[in-house]
Amino acid sequence: AQSVSQHNHHVILSEAASLELGCNYSYGGTVNLFWYVQYPGQHLQLLLKYFSGDPLVKGIKGFEAEFIKSKFSFNLRKPSVQWSDTAEYFCAVNAFSGGYNKLIFGAGTRLAVHP
Amino acid sequence: GAVVSQHPSRVICKSGTSVKIECRSLDFQATTMFWYRQFPKQSLMLMATSNEGSKATYEQGVEKDKFLINHASLTLSTLTVTSAHPEDSSFYICSAGQGASSSGNTIYFGEGSWLTVV
């Protein structure tokens, strides 16, 4: 079965620190990969997505992610975080299975950025 | 980006009653819609996938008779929680996609609906 694993459940950083959140997936077919963010009290928003092409994907708010097919990974990075990046981050895989699309989410990583 | 709207955003119902949550794609036709639930401090759990005009596909462990999904049009899907119980209290989120194929499909999320069963 498809699954998504996020290695860090809680991350605490100071402002201007660099961020890398790990995401590994388990699925043998064609995948589309997503990172979503959920700010406190708000709904999910798409940060970035990978469908094909350049494996280094740039998203909104200075985030980027790199798809490494051989490692089944899609890690999220940001060179310098801000306090406003405090949120929960979800990695997701869009797998086409049994005739249907499914979005499978990781458990999420709570990021707290201190001023 | 495209907009997906859920209604109501918050609902409180009595135990034993049924409650309906609507999910609308406002500016695109959604051939596929997904329903998730999110328990506090946990990730989203896919409940079911529905394609317009056909029956929903439920994930393992989700009671199809309890969580009725109707995707009657390309812009509307409804989730009805029947005979609700306090353990059904959760945050329900819908999402919608524009195609059935995995390539080029982007999923858009609704704002979510808080259900409290008292």
Side-chain angles (χ1 to χ4, degrees), chain B residues 43-54:
Chain B
S43 185
L44 287 87
M45 183 191 77
L46 179 64
M47 298 173 66
T49 302
S50 72
N51 286 282
E52 185 267 338
S54 62

Side-chain angles (χ1 to χ4, degrees), chain B residues 65-93:
Chain B
D65 294 331
K66 181 169 186 61
F67 298 100
L68 301 178
I69 291 172
N70 187 335
H71 191 166
S73 77
L74 286 170
T75 59
L76 174 65
S77 176
T78 59
L79 168 68
T80 302
V81 183
T82 62
S83 187
H85 290 284
E87 57 265 30
D88 298 325
S89 299
S90 185
F91 188 52
Y92 292 86
I93 303 175

Side-chain angles (χ1 to χ4, degrees), chain A residues 23 33-35 48 50 57 65-67 72-76 91:
Chain A
C23 173
L33 298 156
F34 303 78
W35 275 97
L48 48 79
Y50 171 80
V57 180
E66 185 175 11
F67 170 52
F72 296 89
S73 69
F74 190 56
N75 292 355
L76 180 71
C91 179

Side-chain angles (χ1 to χ4, degrees), chain A residues 32 36 51 96 100-101 103 106, chain B residues 34 36 43 51 100 102 105 109:
Chain A
N32 297 331
Y36 286 89
F51 287 161
F96 192 63
Y100 295 97
N101 266 315
L103 252 191
Chain B
F34 305 86
Y36 297 82
S43 185
N51 286 282
S102 62
N105 190 348
F109 283 87

